[in-house]
Short mmCIF file of all heavy atoms in Angstrom, two decimals:
data_model
loop_
_atom_site.label_atom_id
_atom_site.label_comp_id
_atom_site.label_asym_id
_atom_site.label_seq_id
_atom_site.Cartn_x
_atom_site.Cartn_y
_atom_site.Cartn_z
N GLN A 19 9.47 73.27 3.84
CA GLN A 19 10.10 74.29 4.58
C GLN A 19 9.89 74.16 6.09
O GLN A 19 10.76 74.41 6.90
CB GLN A 19 9.66 75.67 4.09
CG GLN A 19 9.96 75.98 2.63
CD GLN A 19 11.52 76.10 2.41
OE1 GLN A 19 12.31 76.32 3.35
NE2 GLN A 19 11.88 75.89 1.19
N PHE A 20 8.60 73.77 6.43
CA PHE A 20 8.32 73.61 7.77
C PHE A 20 9.12 72.46 8.45
O PHE A 20 9.65 72.59 9.57
CB PHE A 20 6.84 73.36 8.00
CG PHE A 20 6.36 73.24 9.39
CD1 PHE A 20 6.05 74.41 10.15
CD2 PHE A 20 6.13 71.98 10.05
CE1 PHE A 20 5.61 74.34 11.48
CE2 PHE A 20 5.70 71.97 11.34
CZ PHE A 20 5.46 73.10 12.07
N TRP A 21 9.20 71.38 7.71
CA TRP A 21 10.00 70.24 8.19
C TRP A 21 11.49 70.61 8.32
O TRP A 21 12.16 70.24 9.25
CB TRP A 21 9.81 69.06 7.26
CG TRP A 21 10.79 67.93 7.52
CD1 TRP A 21 10.60 66.94 8.47
CD2 TRP A 21 11.96 67.63 6.92
NE1 TRP A 21 11.60 66.05 8.49
CE2 TRP A 21 12.51 66.47 7.47
CE3 TRP A 21 12.67 68.21 5.86
CZ2 TRP A 21 13.68 65.92 7.05
CZ3 TRP A 21 13.88 67.63 5.42
CH2 TRP A 21 14.41 66.53 6.03
N GLN A 22 12.01 71.29 7.32
CA GLN A 22 13.49 71.69 7.30
C GLN A 22 13.79 72.67 8.44
O GLN A 22 14.79 72.53 9.09
CB GLN A 22 13.80 72.35 5.91
CG GLN A 22 15.27 72.58 5.76
CD GLN A 22 16.15 71.36 5.75
OE1 GLN A 22 15.87 70.40 5.01
NE2 GLN A 22 17.17 71.33 6.59
N THR A 23 12.87 73.60 8.68
CA THR A 23 13.12 74.57 9.74
C THR A 23 13.09 73.91 11.08
O THR A 23 13.95 74.16 11.99
CB THR A 23 12.04 75.69 9.72
OG1 THR A 23 12.03 76.35 8.40
CG2 THR A 23 12.27 76.70 10.75
N ASN A 24 12.07 73.06 11.29
CA ASN A 24 12.10 72.33 12.58
C ASN A 24 13.30 71.38 12.81
O ASN A 24 13.89 71.27 13.89
CB ASN A 24 10.83 71.51 12.73
CG ASN A 24 9.59 72.38 12.93
OD1 ASN A 24 9.68 73.49 13.35
ND2 ASN A 24 8.44 71.84 12.56
N ARG A 25 13.84 70.85 11.70
CA ARG A 25 14.98 70.06 11.75
C ARG A 25 16.24 70.86 12.08
O ARG A 25 17.09 70.45 12.86
CB ARG A 25 15.15 69.28 10.42
CG ARG A 25 16.37 68.29 10.48
CD ARG A 25 16.46 67.69 9.08
NE ARG A 25 17.62 66.79 9.06
CZ ARG A 25 18.04 66.12 8.02
NH1 ARG A 25 17.42 66.31 6.84
NH2 ARG A 25 19.08 65.29 8.06
N ASP A 26 16.31 72.05 11.51
CA ASP A 26 17.38 72.94 11.78
C ASP A 26 17.44 73.41 13.22
O ASP A 26 18.44 73.73 13.81
CB ASP A 26 17.41 74.13 10.88
CG ASP A 26 17.73 73.71 9.40
OD1 ASP A 26 18.25 72.59 9.22
OD2 ASP A 26 17.37 74.47 8.49
N LEU A 27 16.26 73.61 13.80
CA LEU A 27 16.12 74.11 15.18
C LEU A 27 16.24 73.07 16.21
O LEU A 27 16.20 73.35 17.42
CB LEU A 27 14.82 74.85 15.33
CG LEU A 27 14.69 76.21 14.49
CD1 LEU A 27 13.35 76.74 14.65
CD2 LEU A 27 15.77 77.14 14.89
N MET A 28 16.39 71.83 15.84
CA MET A 28 16.52 70.74 16.86
C MET A 28 17.82 70.98 17.69
O MET A 28 18.78 71.57 17.19
CB MET A 28 16.50 69.41 16.20
CG MET A 28 15.15 68.97 15.61
SD MET A 28 15.17 67.31 14.91
CE MET A 28 15.40 66.28 16.37
N MET A 29 17.84 70.45 18.91
CA MET A 29 18.90 70.69 19.83
C MET A 29 19.57 69.42 20.23
O MET A 29 19.00 68.37 20.25
CB MET A 29 18.34 71.41 21.05
CG MET A 29 17.47 72.65 20.79
SD MET A 29 16.63 73.29 22.21
CE MET A 29 17.99 73.78 23.23
N THR A 30 20.85 69.57 20.64
CA THR A 30 21.56 68.42 21.23
C THR A 30 21.17 68.37 22.71
O THR A 30 20.56 69.28 23.24
CB THR A 30 23.09 68.63 21.11
OG1 THR A 30 23.45 69.80 21.85
CG2 THR A 30 23.44 68.83 19.67
N ARG A 31 21.54 67.27 23.33
CA ARG A 31 21.18 67.12 24.77
C ARG A 31 21.96 68.18 25.61
O ARG A 31 21.39 68.67 26.59
CB ARG A 31 21.54 65.71 25.25
CG ARG A 31 20.68 64.64 24.61
CD ARG A 31 20.99 63.30 25.15
NE ARG A 31 20.17 62.24 24.57
CZ ARG A 31 20.19 60.96 24.89
NH1 ARG A 31 21.09 60.54 25.76
NH2 ARG A 31 19.36 60.09 24.31
N ASP A 32 23.18 68.48 25.20
CA ASP A 32 23.94 69.46 25.99
C ASP A 32 23.24 70.83 25.82
O ASP A 32 23.21 71.58 26.83
CB ASP A 32 25.38 69.51 25.45
CG ASP A 32 26.11 68.26 25.73
OD1 ASP A 32 25.71 67.47 26.68
OD2 ASP A 32 27.20 68.00 25.15
N GLU A 33 22.84 71.15 24.61
CA GLU A 33 22.13 72.46 24.46
C GLU A 33 20.87 72.55 25.19
O GLU A 33 20.53 73.57 25.78
CB GLU A 33 21.84 72.68 22.97
CG GLU A 33 23.06 72.98 22.12
CD GLU A 33 22.78 73.03 20.61
OE1 GLU A 33 21.64 72.54 20.26
OE2 GLU A 33 23.62 73.57 19.87
N LEU A 34 20.15 71.44 25.32
CA LEU A 34 18.89 71.42 26.01
C LEU A 34 19.15 71.53 27.58
O LEU A 34 18.45 72.34 28.20
CB LEU A 34 18.14 70.08 25.77
CG LEU A 34 16.77 69.87 26.47
CD1 LEU A 34 15.85 70.94 25.97
CD2 LEU A 34 16.25 68.51 26.20
N LYS A 35 20.11 70.87 28.10
CA LYS A 35 20.44 71.02 29.42
C LYS A 35 20.92 72.46 29.78
O LYS A 35 20.61 73.02 30.80
CB LYS A 35 21.63 70.05 29.86
CG LYS A 35 21.17 68.58 29.82
CD LYS A 35 22.36 67.65 30.16
CE LYS A 35 21.93 66.21 30.11
NZ LYS A 35 23.05 65.32 30.37
N GLU A 36 21.77 73.02 28.83
CA GLU A 36 22.24 74.40 29.13
C GLU A 36 21.05 75.42 29.14
O GLU A 36 21.05 76.27 29.91
CB GLU A 36 23.24 74.75 27.99
CG GLU A 36 23.94 76.13 28.23
CD GLU A 36 24.82 76.17 29.46
OE1 GLU A 36 25.26 75.04 29.89
OE2 GLU A 36 25.05 77.22 29.99
N GLU A 37 20.13 75.22 28.16
CA GLU A 37 18.94 76.17 28.15
C GLU A 37 18.07 75.99 29.35
O GLU A 37 17.61 76.95 29.95
CB GLU A 37 18.15 75.86 26.90
CG GLU A 37 16.99 76.86 26.73
CD GLU A 37 16.45 76.86 25.33
OE1 GLU A 37 17.18 76.74 24.36
OE2 GLU A 37 15.22 77.00 25.20
N LEU A 38 17.84 74.72 29.79
CA LEU A 38 17.05 74.52 30.98
C LEU A 38 17.74 75.19 32.20
O LEU A 38 17.08 75.68 33.03
CB LEU A 38 16.85 73.08 31.25
CG LEU A 38 15.92 72.33 30.21
CD1 LEU A 38 15.84 70.80 30.52
CD2 LEU A 38 14.50 72.94 30.22
N LYS A 39 19.08 75.06 32.22
CA LYS A 39 19.81 75.67 33.32
C LYS A 39 19.64 77.23 33.31
O LYS A 39 19.51 77.85 34.38
CB LYS A 39 21.27 75.25 33.26
CG LYS A 39 22.11 75.84 34.41
CD LYS A 39 23.55 75.47 34.22
CE LYS A 39 23.84 73.99 34.22
NZ LYS A 39 25.32 73.70 34.07
N ASN A 40 19.75 77.83 32.14
CA ASN A 40 19.59 79.28 32.00
C ASN A 40 18.22 79.73 32.26
O ASN A 40 18.02 80.79 32.83
CB ASN A 40 20.02 79.72 30.64
CG ASN A 40 21.47 79.44 30.39
OD1 ASN A 40 22.27 79.44 31.28
ND2 ASN A 40 21.89 79.20 29.14
N THR A 41 17.18 78.95 31.91
CA THR A 41 15.82 79.41 32.06
C THR A 41 15.25 79.11 33.49
O THR A 41 14.58 79.93 34.06
CB THR A 41 14.89 78.76 31.02
OG1 THR A 41 15.03 77.32 31.06
CG2 THR A 41 15.27 79.25 29.62
N GLU A 42 15.60 77.96 33.98
CA GLU A 42 15.03 77.53 35.31
C GLU A 42 16.05 77.69 36.44
O GLU A 42 15.68 77.48 37.56
CB GLU A 42 14.57 76.13 35.17
CG GLU A 42 13.47 75.89 34.15
CD GLU A 42 13.01 74.43 34.07
OE1 GLU A 42 13.55 73.65 34.90
OE2 GLU A 42 12.15 74.11 33.27
N GLY A 43 17.30 78.01 36.10
CA GLY A 43 18.28 78.15 37.17
C GLY A 43 19.04 76.86 37.38
O GLY A 43 18.73 75.80 36.91
N ASN A 44 20.15 77.00 38.07
CA ASN A 44 21.04 75.86 38.35
C ASN A 44 20.24 74.85 39.26
O ASN A 44 19.73 75.20 40.34
CB ASN A 44 22.29 76.30 39.04
CG ASN A 44 23.34 75.25 39.12
OD1 ASN A 44 23.03 74.08 39.43
ND2 ASN A 44 24.58 75.61 38.88
N PRO A 45 20.15 73.60 38.85
CA PRO A 45 19.43 72.61 39.70
C PRO A 45 19.91 72.48 41.14
O PRO A 45 19.18 72.27 42.07
CB PRO A 45 19.57 71.32 38.85
CG PRO A 45 19.90 71.74 37.50
CD PRO A 45 20.66 73.00 37.61
N HIS A 46 21.25 72.56 41.26
CA HIS A 46 21.82 72.37 42.56
C HIS A 46 21.46 73.59 43.48
O HIS A 46 21.15 73.42 44.65
CB HIS A 46 23.36 72.26 42.52
CG HIS A 46 23.81 71.07 41.69
ND1 HIS A 46 23.68 69.79 42.17
CD2 HIS A 46 24.37 70.98 40.47
CE1 HIS A 46 24.19 68.95 41.25
NE2 HIS A 46 24.60 69.64 40.22
N MET A 47 21.49 74.76 42.83
CA MET A 47 21.11 76.03 43.64
C MET A 47 19.63 75.90 43.97
O MET A 47 19.22 76.26 45.09
CB MET A 47 21.39 77.24 42.76
CG MET A 47 21.12 78.54 43.50
SD MET A 47 22.17 78.78 44.92
CE MET A 47 23.77 79.02 44.13
N LYS A 48 18.77 75.48 43.03
CA LYS A 48 17.38 75.33 43.34
C LYS A 48 17.09 74.37 44.40
O LYS A 48 16.24 74.64 45.32
CB LYS A 48 16.61 74.95 42.03
CG LYS A 48 16.60 76.01 40.98
CD LYS A 48 15.79 75.55 39.78
CE LYS A 48 14.35 75.23 40.12
NZ LYS A 48 13.58 74.81 38.92
N ALA A 49 17.85 73.19 44.40
CA ALA A 49 17.65 72.25 45.51
C ALA A 49 18.05 72.81 46.81
O ALA A 49 17.38 72.58 47.83
CB ALA A 49 18.44 71.03 45.16
N ARG A 50 19.16 73.59 46.84
CA ARG A 50 19.62 74.18 48.13
C ARG A 50 18.57 75.18 48.61
O ARG A 50 18.29 75.21 49.82
CB ARG A 50 20.97 74.81 47.87
CG ARG A 50 21.57 75.22 49.23
CD ARG A 50 22.89 75.92 49.14
NE ARG A 50 23.57 75.86 47.84
CZ ARG A 50 24.73 76.50 47.62
NH1 ARG A 50 25.27 77.20 48.56
NH2 ARG A 50 25.28 76.50 46.41
N MET A 51 18.10 75.99 47.71
CA MET A 51 17.02 76.95 48.18
C MET A 51 15.76 76.23 48.62
O MET A 51 15.16 76.75 49.60
CB MET A 51 16.71 77.88 46.96
CG MET A 51 17.82 78.78 46.48
SD MET A 51 18.35 79.93 47.81
CE MET A 51 16.89 81.00 47.96
N ARG A 52 15.39 75.15 47.96
CA ARG A 52 14.21 74.45 48.36
C ARG A 52 14.45 73.80 49.78
O ARG A 52 13.52 73.82 50.63
CB ARG A 52 13.94 73.34 47.37
CG ARG A 52 12.63 72.58 47.68
CD ARG A 52 12.18 71.77 46.40
NE ARG A 52 13.19 70.97 45.91
CZ ARG A 52 13.84 71.14 44.72
NH1 ARG A 52 13.51 72.17 43.95
NH2 ARG A 52 14.74 70.24 44.37
N ARG A 53 15.62 73.27 50.01
CA ARG A 53 15.90 72.71 51.38
C ARG A 53 15.86 73.84 52.41
O ARG A 53 15.46 73.58 53.55
CB ARG A 53 17.26 71.99 51.35
CG ARG A 53 17.27 70.72 50.57
CD ARG A 53 18.57 69.94 50.91
NE ARG A 53 19.76 70.60 50.47
CZ ARG A 53 20.31 70.47 49.33
NH1 ARG A 53 19.82 69.68 48.41
NH2 ARG A 53 21.46 71.17 49.03
N ARG A 54 16.41 75.02 52.04
CA ARG A 54 16.41 76.04 53.01
C ARG A 54 15.00 76.53 53.38
O ARG A 54 14.74 76.82 54.49
CB ARG A 54 17.19 77.26 52.43
CG ARG A 54 17.36 78.38 53.39
CD ARG A 54 18.25 79.52 52.73
NE ARG A 54 18.39 80.59 53.66
CZ ARG A 54 19.09 81.69 53.30
NH1 ARG A 54 19.76 81.80 52.21
NH2 ARG A 54 19.23 82.66 54.24
N ARG A 55 14.14 76.64 52.35
CA ARG A 55 12.70 77.04 52.56
C ARG A 55 12.02 75.99 53.43
O ARG A 55 11.25 76.34 54.30
CB ARG A 55 11.99 77.22 51.23
CG ARG A 55 12.41 78.47 50.48
CD ARG A 55 11.45 78.77 49.36
NE ARG A 55 11.34 77.66 48.41
CZ ARG A 55 12.08 77.62 47.31
NH1 ARG A 55 12.88 78.60 47.03
NH2 ARG A 55 12.00 76.64 46.47
N THR A 56 12.35 74.73 53.12
CA THR A 56 11.71 73.65 53.95
C THR A 56 12.16 73.68 55.43
O THR A 56 11.33 73.51 56.30
CB THR A 56 12.10 72.27 53.34
OG1 THR A 56 11.70 72.19 51.97
CG2 THR A 56 11.43 71.17 54.13
N ALA A 57 13.48 73.98 55.62
CA ALA A 57 13.96 74.16 57.00
C ALA A 57 13.26 75.23 57.72
O ALA A 57 12.95 75.11 58.93
CB ALA A 57 15.49 74.26 56.98
#
């Protein structure tokens, strides 16, 4: 059951990118904010 559950919860690369975008924010926006703080 542990193996089957972990297998069912595995993610595609698109899902992983989408989740990282939702949790950490848009990478382009973060880069722009980082450049602004540096300036």
Side-chain angles (χ1 to χ4, degrees):
Q19 296 296 338
F20 185 81
W21 172 81
Q22 185 65 52
T23 302
N24 288 339
R25 184 182 179 185
D26 293 340
L27 293 176
M28 290 182 68
M29 309 170 65
T30 64
R31 293 183 179 180
D32 292 341
E33 291 175 342
L34 183 61
K35 292 179 181 178
E36 185 68 23
E37 182 164 324
L38 291 176
K39 184 186 296 184
N40 294 332
T41 54
E42 300 180 2
N44 193 315
H46 301 289
M47 183 64 69
K48 290 181 63 178
R50 192 183 344 178
M51 294 297 294
R52 186 164 52 249
R53 289 194 298 268
R54 185 177 180 181
R55 288 194 298 266
T56 302

